[in-house]
Every structure is written in structure tokens, then in C-alpha cells.
Amino acid sequence: PRQPAKTLWYDRPRYVYLEFCVEDSTDVKVVIEDQRLVFSCKNADGVEFYNEINLYARVMSKDSREKRSDRSITCFVRKWKEKVAWPRITKENIKPAWLSVDFDNWRDWEGEEEVERAMVEQYAEV
């Protein structure tokens, strides 16, 4: 049986970031459409994880990417409209139990764009 991965998200001027918390993931698949993200993978024990998120607003699927680490898979999803804050990640105003805000990374945008650019570039080089 599939189960949803615990997911953290936070908002930035140009991207929204989603972190799917699965350790030692394999078979990672991330499909990003205009307004939907589908994530799936397995963990070391062969448990299947599956998350489907109808996104709050339109995104640029071509300009989005993901990065896998031993602890999680982080997706950065490029917003269609930059500098428009997302009050939530889901289209529906309901918060699934597996989804939470990543408060460690959630902060005001003042002067954030340079920081964000550096962060994305650093990820892109990995």
C-alpha cells in the first residue's frame, strides 16, 4: 500500500520549495505540471510513497527541478507569477495531515531575492 511522504514547504519570491522527507529513497519520480505536482518513490524497506498536490497557482514546469539527498527530496517549483506570495501550497483550502510549513526556512522576503538566487545556483551545481 502506498502512503504519502511527510512534506514540508515554504514560499520564496520566485519559487516554492517542497521537501519530501523520505530517507534512502529509490525510484524517485517527480512530475510537475502547470498546476499539479506528483511525487513518488520507495524507501530502503520498499515502502511506496505517493503524494499528489494540486498547486495553489500556476507554475513553470520546465523551469522546476529536484534534488535528492539521503534524507529527503527537495523540489523547487518556479512560480508563473514571481513575487506573488502563496498563502498555501494547495489549491484547496484544506491542509492534508502529511503537509506542513517549513518554519526553519519561512521568513520575510525583504532582500530575499539575492539569497534565493544564490541558493538555486548552488543547488543547480550539485
Side-chain angles (χ1 to χ4, degrees):
R2 302 189 300 189
Q3 62 186 67
K6 179 176 186 284
T7 308
L8 298 169
W9 82 281
Y10 60 100
D11 188 33
R12 282 285 190 274
R14 298 166 69 210
Y15 290 83
V16 283
Y17 296 80
L18 289 126
E19 184 179 3
F20 297 97
C21 305
V22 179
E23 294 192 6
D24 304 324
S25 54
T26 57
D27 294 350
V28 174
K29 290 188 190 65
V30 178
V31 178
I32 297 170
E33 297 167 359
D34 283 354
Q35 274 197 282
R36 194 169 77 117
L37 184 149
V38 179
F39 166 82
S40 62
C41 75
K42 289 183 180 138
N43 70 5
D45 300 325
V47 177
E48 281 186 50
F49 291 90
Y50 178 88
N51 297 61
E52 188 174 324
I53 299 172
N54 290 316
L55 297 165
Y56 173 75
R58 191 167 174 196
V59 299
M60 297 179 171
S61 46
K62 303 264 183 295
D63 204 2
S64 303
R65 53 171 87 93
E66 73 272 352
K67 170 182 176 276
R68 187 194 162 281
S69 75
D70 294 339
R71 291 199 353 263
S72 63
I73 300 93
T74 303
C75 302
F76 9 140
V77 183
R78 181 74 180 266
K79 295 173 175 182
W80 187 263
K81 287 193 177 125
E82 291 189 12
K83 298 184 189 147
V84 175
W86 286 25
R88 58 179 191 269
I89 189 86
T90 52
K91 188 157 192 63
E92 310 81 15
N93 195 3
I94 352 169
K95 193 180 102 38
W98 44 265
L99 181 67
S100 3
V101 168
D102 183 350
F103 286 107
D104 292 344
N105 282 304
W106 190 279
R107 49 176 119 78
D108 288 333
W109 286 1
E110 283 307 305
E112 269 299 297
E113 287 181 66
E114 288 309 307
V115 178
E116 184 184 33
R117 197 167 292 131
M119 196 165 108
V120 169
E121 279 163 12
Q122 173 205 326
Y123 270 132
E125 287 159 17
V126 172

